[in-house]
Amino acid sequence: MLADLVDELLAQPLPWPIVQAGDPVLRTAAAPYEGQLGDAALAGLIEGMKETMHAAPGVGLAAPQIGLPVRLAVVEDYERPNTPPEVLAVRGIGPLPFRVLVNPRYTALGSERVAFFEGCLSVNGWQAVVARPLRVRLEAQDETGAAVDEEFAGWPARIVQHETDHLGGVLYLDRAELRSLSTHQSVAQRWAQPTPVDAAKELGFDLP
């Protein structure tokens, strides 16, 4: 039961281990959250996910990434003072305040797609170029059960798509240009440009 799994997690020190690719929990559609946890357990789970995400560090964490097959995720992006302004502008990166997504789903708004290198805490050490809708509508609930219905664009849209995909058993590699697959070191040394145009030319893949 979910409550038992959460109790086991809450008994462990933080940050919690992050499940890596190859574990079936990452490839199984998670069950809806329907109030299976008491208030204290839910609050403890959310706080633990937040601390684990920060420690990684990452900008999102889905429950399957800590071994829980339930449709719940946390997201938060932060100020990036060391990132060149042109990179921030081209990629649409901006602050995304911490929030909890319960039973999220997204739909694309418009047909425009953008492609950038993307990584995942559950595919440690690697990145690949993923084309995603530029703008999405996200429907979910928050941790209190209140409805969430928001539009996101740019990098925040990429984050909520990535984390919502986790809840359906989808990894970013399923949507990636696999010829772009690169280590973190290779991306930093070779493909740090604002867009992956050079990577596409030299590694031999198409961009939208």
Side-chain angles (χ1 to χ4, degrees):
M1 291 179 59
L2 178 63
D4 295 331
L5 293 174
V6 171
D7 285 344
E8 291 177 11
L9 267 181
L10 294 176
Q12 297 181 26
L14 289 165
W16 294 324
I18 295 176
V19 173
Q20 294 299 302
D23 191 310
V25 73
L26 294 173
R27 291 312 205 167
T28 304
Y33 180 74
E34 298 174 334
Q36 296 96 318
L37 302 176
D39 291 346
L42 179 60
L45 173 60
I46 291 169
E47 187 59 33
M49 291 179 68
K50 182 178 182 180
E51 185 168 333
T52 300
M53 174 179 66
H54 287 169
V59 295
L61 187 70
Q65 293 181 276
I66 52 170
L68 301 178
V70 66
R71 294 187 62 81
L72 189 150
V74 296
V75 296
E76 182 181 21
D77 205 355
Y78 41 83
E79 299 291 343
R80 300 170 185 250
N82 298 321
T83 301
E86 63 270 22
V87 172
L88 298 175
V90 169
R91 299 181 187 176
I93 297 174
L96 176 63
F98 178 79
R99 66 187 67 202
V100 180
L101 306 178
V102 179
N103 301 324
R105 61 186 185 276
Y106 66 84
T107 52
L109 297 175
S111 59
E112 187 173 0
R113 295 169 63 82
V114 289
F116 296 106
F117 275 99
E118 188 171 316
C120 179
L121 298 177
S122 290
V123 188
N124 193 32
W126 297 90
Q127 297 181 47
V129 173
V130 183
R132 293 189 182 272
L134 174 65
R135 298 173 58 247
V136 297
R137 177 186 180 187
L138 181 77
E139 297 174 86
Q141 295 87 44
D142 67 14
E143 64 272 34
T144 72
V148 174
D149 189 344
E150 295 186 49
E151 294 183 10
F152 293 87
W155 211 255
R158 181 170 295 267
I159 293 170
V160 299
Q161 289 174 76
H162 181 116
E163 299 309 326
T164 301
D165 281 355
H166 268 303
L167 305 179
V170 175
L171 294 177
Y172 83 100
L173 291 174
D174 299 331
R175 304 190 185 282
E177 291 287 348
L178 290 183
R179 292 184 67 94
S180 72
L181 187 65
S182 305
T183 63
H184 288 332
Q185 182 179 7
S186 291
V187 173
Q189 291 179 346
R190 296 175 179 273
W191 316 126
Q193 302 88 357
T195 75
V197 169
D198 288 350
K201 290 179 181 177
E202 295 197 41
L203 298 179
F205 61 91
D206 295 326
L207 295 173

